[in-house]
């Protein structure tokens, strides 16, 4: 996946610790010696970031060894074990950059206006990526179709819908992925604002964002495994709010590095899947996986509403950045099935 702006800044910050010899050698490696940097560190940094296919690919380079990654994490008060392997250190660095980016985004939060139209999920604004959803101005992203062969199945009261990638070319996939990212960032930013520990004005989040017959399944892996089902826009909305306002949880979605999948079908259903970490009182409690089924509501100018959702909450020690792309096809299909 192409680097986000936050990853570019992070890579440049990390590369600054390399000696001139290692930095220029890395620039030659990345460009196959086709772009001379002329002994200029600034030019070398720019060239390395520009010609690297992704942040993970760059951090995997031999010149960026375990010692460089370890010292960089310690610089930002992240203290991994001295026995941590390089792939895990890379994940820690990527997670650090994601958190830094989210903290910078929170500075742009503003108090929503009391306007009914401002709370609706506009399909037009989602597709264009211009709507801030009373939250933050989003950076543009380029979509990568992580798992084009996976079929999602969702059983609802009407029928069974097989959600597959729709033939429409790269432009359709980019718009679809942008739609999913915009929705995810709006949803969790609005939901987390109701956590009293954040000390911010709660944003618009309620039953108006769900269909009247909306469904939510909450899964807590065991033993024993616990499943809780909620039906109706009021019950589903209150369940989500209970997590943040009563249990003081904060949800940190992974909006990069394979943490998001978005698919649609010809019948109008858009399936958004995301994973991330769960936090409380400055502690990471575990990870979550969530699926949303979105459908346009013709009664509200084809704005999107949530029809169905499934949330899996797992209490566990978190050592790596959670990714949907690390899961098996069976795990993805299980998350999508309701």
């Amino acid at each position: 996946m192409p680097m986000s702006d936050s990853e570019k800044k992070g890579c440049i910050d990390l590369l600054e610790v390399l000696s001139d010899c290692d930095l220029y050698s890395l620039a030659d490696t990345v460009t196959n010696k086709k772009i001379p940097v002329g002994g200029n560190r600034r030019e070398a940094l720019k060239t390395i970031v520009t010609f690297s296919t992704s942040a993970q690919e760059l951090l995997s380079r031999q010149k960026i060894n375990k010692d460089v990654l370890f010292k960089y994490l310690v610089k930002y008060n992240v203290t991994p074990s001295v026995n941590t392997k390089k792939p895990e250190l890379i994940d820690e660095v990527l997670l650090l950059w994601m958190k830094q980016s989210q903290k910078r985004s929170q500075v742009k939060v503003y108090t929503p206006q009391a306007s009914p139209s401002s709370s609706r999920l506009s399909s037009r604004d989602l597709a264009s990526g211009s709507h801030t959803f009373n939250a933050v101005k989003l950076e543009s992203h380029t979509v990568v179709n992580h798992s084009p062969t996976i079929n999602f199945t969702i059983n609802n009261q009407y029928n069974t819908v097989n959600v597959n990638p729709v033939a429409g070319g790269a432009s359709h996939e980019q718009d679809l992925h942008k739609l999913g990212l915009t929705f995810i960032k709006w949803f969790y930013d609005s939901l987390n604002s109701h956590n009293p520990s954040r000390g911010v004005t709660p944003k618009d989040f309620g039953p108006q964002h769900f269909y009247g017959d909306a469904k939510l399944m909450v899964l807590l892996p065991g033993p024993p495994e616990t499943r809780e089902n909620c039906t109706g826009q009021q019950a589903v909305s209150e369940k989500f709010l209970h997590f943040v306002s009563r249990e003081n949880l904060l949800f940190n979605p992974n909006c990069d590095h394979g943490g998001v999948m978005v698919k649609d079908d010809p019948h109008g259903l858009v399936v958004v899947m995301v994973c991330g970490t769960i936090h409380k009182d400055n502690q990471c409690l575990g990870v979550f996986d969530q699926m949303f089924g979105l459908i346009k509501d013709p009664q509200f100018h084809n704005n999107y509403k949530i029809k169905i959702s499934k949330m899996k909450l797992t209490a566990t020690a978190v050592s790596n950045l959670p990714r949907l792309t690390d899961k098996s096809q069976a795990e993805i299909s299980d998350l999508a099935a309701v």
Side-chain angles (χ1 to χ4, degrees):
M1 176 180 289
M3 292 191 201
S4 64
D5 288 344
S6 61
E7 288 175 335
K8 291 178 181 178
K9 293 177 182 177
C11 286
I12 291 176
D13 185 31
L14 184 146
L15 292 171
E16 287 283 7
V17 305
L18 297 183
S19 65
D20 288 349
C21 180
D22 285 343
L23 187 66
Y24 300 147
S25 175
L26 181 57
D28 287 341
T29 300
V30 170
T31 64
N32 290 326
K33 298 185 177 180
K34 293 181 179 179
I35 307 294
V37 295
N40 186 317
R41 282 187 65 92
R42 180 176 295 181
E43 189 64 27
L45 290 169
K46 180 181 178 181
T47 299
I48 292 170
V49 171
T50 300
F51 286 89
S52 295
T53 58
S54 69
Q56 186 164 17
E57 181 261 347
L58 175 56
L59 296 179
S60 300
R61 295 285 185 180
Q62 188 174 1
K63 291 295 183 182
I64 304 179
N65 54 37
K66 284 180 57 177
D67 187 54
V68 170
L69 296 170
F70 186 89
K71 290 181 178 179
Y72 181 80
L73 289 168
V74 172
K75 174 184 175 182
Y76 288 98
N77 299 318
V78 179
T79 53
S81 167
V82 294
N83 297 320
T84 305
K85 297 180 181 179
K86 183 176 179 180
E88 296 172 347
L89 290 173
I90 291 173
D91 283 342
E92 289 285 351
V93 172
L94 294 175
L95 180 60
L96 170 66
W97 290 343
M98 182 180 70
K99 291 180 177 179
Q100 289 175 339
S101 176
Q102 291 174 339
K103 287 181 180 179
R104 285 192 292 267
S105 296
Q106 288 174 359
V107 177
K108 302 177 183 178
V109 174
Y110 66 90
T111 303
Q113 299 178 351
S115 170
S117 61
S118 66
S119 67
R120 298 172 185 165
L121 311 189
S122 167
S123 58
R124 180 178 62 186
D125 289 333
L126 278 169
S128 66
S130 62
H131 195 356
T132 60
F133 286 101
N134 296 332
V136 299
K137 184 177 180 180
L138 305 181
E139 300 175 352
S140 60
H141 292 263
T142 302
V143 61
V144 174
N145 192 356
H146 300 289
S147 302
T149 60
I150 292 178
N151 296 328
F152 303 101
T153 302
I154 296 179
N155 298 310
N156 58 35
Q157 64 199 68
Y158 299 107
N159 52 28
T160 298
V161 181
N162 292 318
V163 182
N164 301 303
V166 176
S171 177
H172 172 78
E173 292 296 322
Q174 288 172 353
D175 288 344
L176 192 62
H177 197 72
K178 186 182 293 185
L179 184 156
L181 285 172
T182 306
F183 168 78
I184 288 167
K185 292 182 179 183
W186 166 81
F187 181 88
Y188 291 106
D189 185 71
S190 298
L191 181 61
N192 286 334
S193 72
H194 289 261
N195 185 312
S197 68
R198 292 192 64 188
V200 300
T201 302
K203 298 182 180 180
D204 186 36
F205 186 96
Q208 67 273 20
H209 299 306
F210 301 83
Y211 275 91
D213 58 353
K215 294 182 179 180
L216 169 65
M217 174 187 289
V218 180
L219 173 63
L220 303 175
E225 180 179 273
T226 303
R227 292 175 181 260
E228 181 178 354
N229 294 300
C230 299
T231 303
Q233 60 186 163
Q234 190 69 39
V236 172
S237 173
E238 289 179 354
K239 185 61 180 179
F240 279 122
L241 289 172
H242 177 85
F243 285 131
V244 295
S245 63
R246 300 289 183 87
E247 298 186 26
N248 292 325
L249 300 181
L250 286 171
F251 297 93
N252 181 29
N254 173 14
C255 295
D256 298 294
H257 317 304
V260 177
M261 289 183 181
V262 189
K263 304 296 179 186
D264 66 355
D265 85 324
H267 303 284
L269 178 67
V270 176
V271 174
V272 181
M273 305 180 74
V274 62
C275 63
T277 51
I278 311 168
H279 302 260
K280 181 178 181 179
D281 299 329
N282 295 320
Q283 292 185 339
C284 182
L285 302 183
V287 298
F288 74 91
D289 302 284
Q290 187 154 8
M291 177 276 293
F292 297 92
L294 310 179
I295 299 178
K296 295 178 182 179
D297 187 345
Q299 297 185 26
F300 291 96
H301 308 289
N302 279 337
N303 296 322
Y304 280 95
K305 283 188 176 181
I306 301 169
K307 176 71 172 178
I308 195 166
S309 184
K310 181 177 181 179
M311 173 181 275
K312 181 180 179 181
L313 307 175
T314 305
T316 183
V318 179
S319 59
N320 297 310
L321 184 68
R323 298 182 177 125
L324 292 177
T325 49
D326 290 338
K327 297 183 180 296
S328 66
Q329 180 172 337
E331 290 175 311
I332 294 295
S333 298
D334 180 68
L335 177 61
V338 176

